[in-house]
Amino acid sequence: MKTIYLAGGCFWGTQRFLDQFPGVKRTEVGYANGHTAAPSYEDVRYRGTGHAETVLVEYEETQLPTERLLACYFLSIDPLSLNRQGEDVGTQYRTGIYYTDETLLPAIRAAVAAEEAVMGAPLAVEVLPLENFYRAEEYHQDYLVKNPTGYCHIPEKLMHLADR
């Protein structure tokens, strides 16, 4: 089992998007790589904590290789957009790939290089070691499962890729 942390704008949609793929065993939304301890949503949104809305992803690499997981992730974001995904704007909506296991770096670098080749430009996606991660409030966990008509910047058709 491997763990990676993916920031892709609003974490509600990113979590729902990632949950669809066989090999993803668990996801949890939270706040990563900021400069304050244990922030609340209000802190992240209004008090400049520096955290990114992020999804912790535990996955079975033999079933879903890291490069494939990241190729899926890139489908759900605009990798050239800095601090914005859809209508969500601000540093908390930046994109990022955060890791605690350095053995993932070759696959992360390969996936980023492949996406840069497709895009023809450097990505606005941070690739950094995870400094911290704080679980978001319970009402944010699986938000779009609990609230199926809730806002999401990811097109609905992308929520059913694994069904094909």
Side-chain angles (χ1 to χ4, degrees), residues 111-133:
V112 168
E115 187 67 14
E116 284 181 338
V118 167
M119 301 305 290
L123 305 185
V125 178
E126 296 180 329
V127 175
L128 296 169
L130 183 75
E131 295 174 17
N132 51 56
F133 179 82

Side-chain angles (χ1 to χ4, degrees), residues 95-126:
T95 53
I97 302 168
Y98 309 122
Y99 59 91
T100 56
D101 179 352
E102 290 198 12
T103 66
L104 296 179
L105 268 176
I108 293 169
R109 288 183 179 133
V112 168
E115 187 67 14
E116 284 181 338
V118 167
M119 301 305 290
L123 305 185
V125 178
E126 296 180 329

Side-chain angles (χ1 to χ4, degrees), residues 4-162:
I4 198 164
Y5 299 79
L6 300 175
C10 176
F11 51 26
W12 296 345
T14 302
Q15 180 180 39
R16 182 167 169 238
F17 174 78
L18 294 169
D19 277 340
Q20 73 179 300
F21 297 105
V24 171
K25 302 303 181 187
R26 184 175 82 88
T27 59
E28 179 178 286
V29 298
Y31 314 111
N33 282 16
H35 54 265
T36 61
S40 67
Y41 176 75
E42 289 74 23
D43 293 336
V44 172
R45 178 98 169 109
Y46 301 111
R47 295 185 187 98
T49 67
H51 291 87
E53 290 193 15
T54 302
V55 180
L56 174 159
V57 184
E58 288 182 356
Y59 62 104
E60 181 56 57
E61 193 173 35
T62 58
Q63 194 175 1
L64 181 61
T66 301
E67 285 183 58
R68 175 73 182 127
L69 171 62
L70 293 176
C72 294
Y73 161 73
F74 286 128
L75 294 173
S76 72
I77 64 169
D78 174 352
L80 301 179
S81 181
L82 181 63
N83 300 329
R84 178 185 192 131
Q85 292 296 305
E87 298 301 312
D88 299 314
V89 179
T91 58
Q92 74 268 28
Y93 300 115
R94 68 187 181 271
T95 53
I97 302 168
Y98 309 122
Y99 59 91
T100 56
D101 179 352
E102 290 198 12
T103 66
L104 296 179
L105 268 176
I108 293 169
R109 288 183 179 133
V112 168
E115 187 67 14
E116 284 181 338
V118 167
M119 301 305 290
L123 305 185
V125 178
E126 296 180 329
V127 175
L128 296 169
L130 183 75
E131 295 174 17
N132 51 56
F133 179 82
Y134 299 97
R135 178 182 165 86
E137 297 84 347
E138 189 57 38
Y139 73 92
H140 288 297
Q141 306 299 325
D142 298 307
Y143 183 87
L144 291 175
V145 172
K146 299 173 199 170
N147 302 280
T149 59
Y151 166 76
C152 184
H153 69 283
I154 300 173
E156 181 63 28
K157 67 182 180 181
L158 290 181
M159 300 300 186
H160 304 284
L161 292 178

